[in-house]
Amino acid sequence: MENELVRKSKKGDMDAFSKLIKMYEKDMYRVAIAMVKNNEDALDCIQNAILKAYKSIGKLKKEEYFKTWLIRIVINNCKDTITKERKYTPLLQVNKEVCYEENLEYVEIQEAIDSLDMDLKKLIILYYYEDMTIKDISQSLDISEGTIKSRLSRAKTKLKSILNEVYSEVL
């Protein structure tokens, strides 16, 4: 069904394109909010990505890669926004002393992810939040699968180190 919608979209069918966007709106939002950290910028990035995707859908070579292509456009828009505005707002602005114990672990994990370099954070978001495969991430970011695997491994090691440090302080 998705491939058929992509084919129709390439021929200028706006309804088909709208259905595709509707299918992936949550995915686009999760990626954008994880990268830019605030709702307004995330929505702007998504809106710009949708416009770029609509204008350039004819350049998409393989219909089955529509989602990875679309997510790549969102990621590029987010990177542009971060670079242009050079602003950073933590995803969760929470005072740890106010957190309930069950939310504390989530906050610590999110802060650990936020502390990673953008390249590593992006991979963690795509792999764990978006459940994308190594192959899909590779195609989406135009990076070899081997590089994705090694960077994911490095990101996991850094996260483990950060979280071990946090929990050793608590104990």
Side-chain angles (χ1 to χ4, degrees):
M1 179 175 150
E2 177 185 338
N3 289 351
E4 182 61 31
L5 290 173
V6 174
R7 279 192 282 283
K8 288 180 179 179
S9 296
K10 286 174 121 179
K11 293 177 183 175
D13 185 337
M14 264 184 119
D15 289 335
F17 185 78
S18 293
K19 287 177 185 173
L20 285 168
I21 295 302
K22 190 74 174 155
M23 287 171 61
Y24 297 116
E25 67 186 353
K26 288 180 184 174
D27 299 319
M28 290 187 296
Y29 183 77
R30 279 193 301 267
V31 168
I33 196 72
M35 289 186 72
V36 297
K37 306 294 182 221
N38 75 62
N39 192 54
E40 193 173 297
D41 285 345
L43 294 175
D44 284 346
C45 289
I46 292 167
Q47 184 176 10
N48 290 335
I50 291 169
L51 183 59
K52 284 180 185 177
Y54 182 74
K55 287 180 177 178
S56 60
I57 194 161
K59 297 176 186 174
L60 179 63
K61 293 175 183 145
K62 295 185 179 181
E63 286 87 9
E64 61 268 20
Y65 297 131
F66 177 79
K67 179 183 177 182
T68 56
W69 176 76
L70 182 63
I71 295 297
R72 184 178 188 175
I73 295 171
V74 172
I75 289 168
N76 288 338
N77 275 313
C78 291
K79 284 172 35 178
D80 289 347
T81 297
I82 291 166
T83 302
K84 285 177 189 171
E85 297 181 10
R86 299 211 187 276
K87 68 181 187 179
Y88 176 81
T89 306
L91 180 61
L92 296 172
Q93 296 177 342
V94 180
N95 181 344
K96 283 187 178 182
E97 299 163 357
V98 179
C99 286
Y100 293 104
E101 192 170 315
E102 61 267 15
N103 292 330
L104 188 57
E105 186 175 308
Y106 174 79
V107 171
E108 290 167 343
I109 291 170
Q110 198 58 51
E111 287 177 349
I113 291 170
D114 286 344
S115 72
L116 294 174
D117 293 335
M118 181 57 79
D119 288 339
L120 299 180
K121 181 166 61 171
K122 182 175 22 178
L123 294 178
I124 293 292
I125 290 166
L126 294 175
Y127 189 74
Y128 289 105
Y129 288 39
E130 290 303 313
D131 292 325
M132 288 177 75
T133 65
I134 300 288
K135 182 179 180 180
D136 287 343
I137 295 171
S138 171
Q139 291 168 341
S140 179
L141 300 178
D142 199 24
I143 299 172
S144 75
E145 289 183 38
T147 302
I148 298 294
K149 288 177 186 177
S150 66
R151 287 182 185 174
L152 262 176
S153 177
R154 190 172 349 129
K156 290 177 195 177
T157 302
K158 283 188 176 188
L159 284 174
K160 184 177 181 182
S161 172
I162 292 167
L163 292 171
N164 281 338
E165 204 174 291
V166 167
Y167 288 119
S168 69
E169 291 174 6
V170 172
L171 302 174

